[in-house]
Amino acid sequence: MTDLHIRAAFPEDLDAVLAFWKTAAEGTSISDDRDGVERLLARDPEALILAEQDGELVGTVIAGFDGWRCHLYRLAVHPERRRQGIGSALLAAAEERLVALGGRRADAMVLVRNETGQAAWQAGGYAPEEKWRRWVKPLTD
């Protein structure tokens, strides 16, 4: 996979990223809009990592570190490009970034129904931590 290019996203990538997630990501998030991703890049310009092949967006991952914990979101690979090492390359780049920032453990949120995603995370060395439950509360309408 020598033609795979991994890089941080730029503001001009956001429309392509949002369109890509509609095809490649499982489920939607309250932050899956231009304002949400712009806020992410304004706060942490290198958090959104892209994979490109021949100039085409083929994968994404968000690697965020709040100074306390490392969180991974939106690991997505184009359906026609899966099982080619793109997800592994994105995870390696994300983990390298998080370690450089001082992170010691990363977590990922994966939908229970997303069996493909669960298999990808397991292949990357991640495991569910059943003793924890995620609690959420929307802060806006």
Side-chain angles (χ1 to χ4, degrees):
M1 187 175 343
T2 58
D3 62 339
L4 187 68
H5 179 65
I6 305 286
R7 66 173 178 86
F10 298 113
E12 55 268 22
D13 295 314
L14 298 189
D15 290 334
V17 167
L18 290 166
F20 177 78
W21 285 343
K22 289 179 181 176
T23 301
E26 178 72 23
T28 57
S29 166
I30 195 169
S31 301
D32 286 354
D33 58 24
R34 187 167 186 88
D35 288 343
V37 183
E38 283 176 345
R39 278 191 302 277
L40 171 68
L41 293 186
R43 185 183 180 285
D44 188 351
E46 297 179 357
L48 176 54
I49 301 169
L50 308 181
E52 298 174 320
Q53 279 183 323
D54 301 320
E56 177 187 350
L57 180 60
V58 296
T60 67
V61 68
I62 296 172
F65 181 57
D66 61 12
W68 181 259
R69 300 222 167 122
C70 303
H71 304 287
L72 297 163
Y73 308 93
R74 281 292 179 239
L75 175 62
V77 175
H78 192 284
E80 295 174 6
R81 305 288 181 101
R82 292 180 180 157
R83 304 201 52 80
Q84 297 177 20
I86 296 167
S88 296
L90 282 164
L91 277 181
E95 292 166 359
E96 181 179 306
R97 175 180 195 270
L98 295 172
V99 167
L101 291 171
R104 297 182 285 179
R105 179 181 67 183
D107 65 48
M109 294 190 334
V110 184
L111 290 170
V112 173
R113 71 174 189 261
N114 186 355
E115 293 178 13
T116 300
Q118 290 181 38
W121 286 104
Q122 185 174 15
Y126 292 77
E129 198 168 56
E130 300 298 338
K131 65 184 177 184
W132 295 97
R133 179 166 310 266
R134 182 173 178 225
W135 293 58
V136 298
K137 175 184 176 184
L139 299 176
T140 61
D141 292 331

